Amino acid sequence: MSTSDLDDLIACNLMLESLAIWRERARQGQAELRSPYISDIGDMRSLHFDGHSMQSEMNLLDPIELTIDYTRMMMGFLLFDPRPRRIEMIGLGGGSLAKCCHHLLPDTDITIVEINPAIIAFRDQFQIPRDDDRFRVLVGDGADFVAQGGSRPDVLLIDGFDEFGQPPELCSAEFYDQCYRRLAPGGVMIVNLWGGGHLNRRYAARVARSFNGSARSVPTEAGFNQAVFGRKDAKLVLSQADIAATAALFQQRQAAFLPQIGNRISRRIDHHLWERAVHLVEDRLRKAEVE
């Protein structure tokens, strides 16, 4: 398949996804998870479910580097909590987020839940750390895991996908409510949403409702993904001082992206506040005209 053919196929599937056609139609009659596979091109190793989408990517020369923009955006939780005690992740993929957290946060307890054992079987090929007393990969259903009581993570990262996109169990209003309940006070959740269209706007709205409005959606550079931030019992605010302080804590080259990510998140928050202020002024003017 040529590069242009691949680009056309990706664009086609993005369009169908935005129309809510591709996922539902493809799910009919599907009872088993499709077997994932790995491809190597030059120094890059990728994880796939099929020939038209890439689930994860690793630079063989720097396995900790985050090569895809949405993974860098999801590490934006560091700007709100640079020293979390406990992180939980739903979805392993090629382990990009897991490896970066393990590298940058040596004192943090990290648990990853992955439903597909075939994904976990690739952990050595993607140089994912072995399980120990602070790092573990569990086989299980992410929605069931979140619904359980017990742990109160400071950070909850939702990056669970199959070959059809976000499973319905991981983007329902009930699921986001359970994420909110599971988090520690002040905890941060980030959800990776893929594709465009009304479905993702609906999912982002559900996060906002579950987190009492303390949520923002930040698109990736290419626009194919968006990271939805939610914070429990705390305002989602980010100042330039916060960004600078966090960047100063992480001098590793794998964290050099934090200032740029922080500025994008901050602009998104500020834009939302500006829009809200405009709406409040408009509402007051309309009320004054009625009176």
Side-chain angles (χ1 to χ4, degrees):
M1 180 181 292
S2 68
T3 300
S4 61
D5 290 339
L6 181 59
D7 290 342
D8 290 343
L9 185 55
I10 291 174
C12 178
N13 281 312
L14 284 172
M15 179 189 71
L16 292 175
E17 170 70 9
S18 69
L19 294 174
I21 296 173
W22 176 60
R23 180 189 306 165
E24 286 80 5
R25 183 173 294 175
R27 282 189 183 276
Q28 294 180 5
Q30 288 293 122
E32 298 181 358
L33 295 172
R34 187 176 299 178
S35 297
Y37 65 93
I38 291 175
S39 68
D40 288 349
I41 301 178
D43 296 326
M44 307 306 294
R45 173 165 294 170
S46 303
L47 176 68
H48 308 264
F49 282 121
D50 50 46
H52 67 261
S53 62
M54 178 177 64
Q55 298 299 315
S56 189
E57 183 181 69
M58 180 181 74
N59 182 349
L60 293 169
L61 300 180
D62 186 358
I64 306 298
E65 179 192 11
L66 296 178
T67 63
I68 303 177
D69 186 57
Y70 92 82
T71 58
R72 296 190 290 270
M73 184 60 68
M74 292 190 74
M75 287 299 296
F77 73 81
L78 292 171
L79 297 155
F80 301 96
D81 187 352
R83 290 289 185 260
R85 295 174 298 105
R86 182 177 293 111
I87 295 175
E88 294 178 349
M89 305 181 191
I90 305 303
L92 175 65
S96 299
L97 291 171
K99 288 184 295 184
C100 193
C101 289
H102 183 271
H103 178 71
L104 297 179
L105 300 167
D107 298 322
T108 300
D109 186 88
I110 302 169
T111 299
I112 306 100
V113 180
E114 170 58 53
I115 196 171
N116 191 344
I119 295 289
I120 299 176
F122 287 134
R123 69 184 298 169
D124 289 342
Q125 286 93 322
F126 282 95
Q127 302 186 36
I128 299 170
R130 306 312 301 169
D131 287 5
D132 57 25
D133 59 347
R134 76 173 188 93
F135 183 90
R136 64 203 62 85
V137 179
L138 308 177
V139 181
D141 184 288
D144 291 343
F145 177 82
V146 168
Q148 297 170 2
S151 177
R152 287 293 179 266
D154 304 291
V155 175
L156 188 54
L157 303 178
I158 311 299
D159 191 23
F161 285 80
D162 58 25
E163 62 269 35
F164 308 120
Q166 286 98 218
E169 298 81 6
L170 296 182
C171 49
S172 68
E174 180 183 7
F175 174 71
Y176 294 137
D177 286 345
Q178 291 167 342
C179 288
Y180 180 88
R181 289 193 291 268
R182 187 173 182 86
L183 278 169
V188 178
M189 179 186 76
I190 306 179
V191 181
N192 173 36
L193 298 178
W194 182 85
H198 72 283
L199 281 178
N200 284 347
R201 289 193 294 272
R202 183 185 304 168
Y203 302 154
R206 289 173 182 172
V207 173
R209 284 194 296 270
S210 296
F211 282 75
N212 302 313
S214 186
R216 301 291 181 272
S217 178
V218 185
T220 61
E221 291 176 334
F224 292 153
N225 296 72
Q226 55 182 310
V228 183
F229 290 71
R231 193 164 196 187
K232 180 176 181 177
D233 301 330
K235 291 184 178 179
L236 199 65
V237 295
L238 186 62
S239 69
Q240 289 300 312
D242 295 329
I243 297 170
T246 303
L249 286 175
F250 297 97
Q251 297 297 317
Q252 301 91 330
R253 68 180 183 281
Q254 292 89 354
F257 59 84
L258 282 173
Q260 192 257 2
I261 290 296
N263 288 329
R264 287 164 59 191
I265 297 171
S266 178
R267 285 196 298 269
R268 195 71 176 179
I269 292 173
D270 291 344
H271 178 70
H272 177 87
L273 293 176
W274 179 82
E275 285 187 326
R276 184 177 179 184
V278 170
H279 290 321
L280 287 174
V281 171
E282 290 175 342
D283 287 342
R284 289 174 181 173
L285 289 174
R286 282 194 293 269
K287 290 178 181 179
E289 290 174 356
V290 171
E291 294 174 354

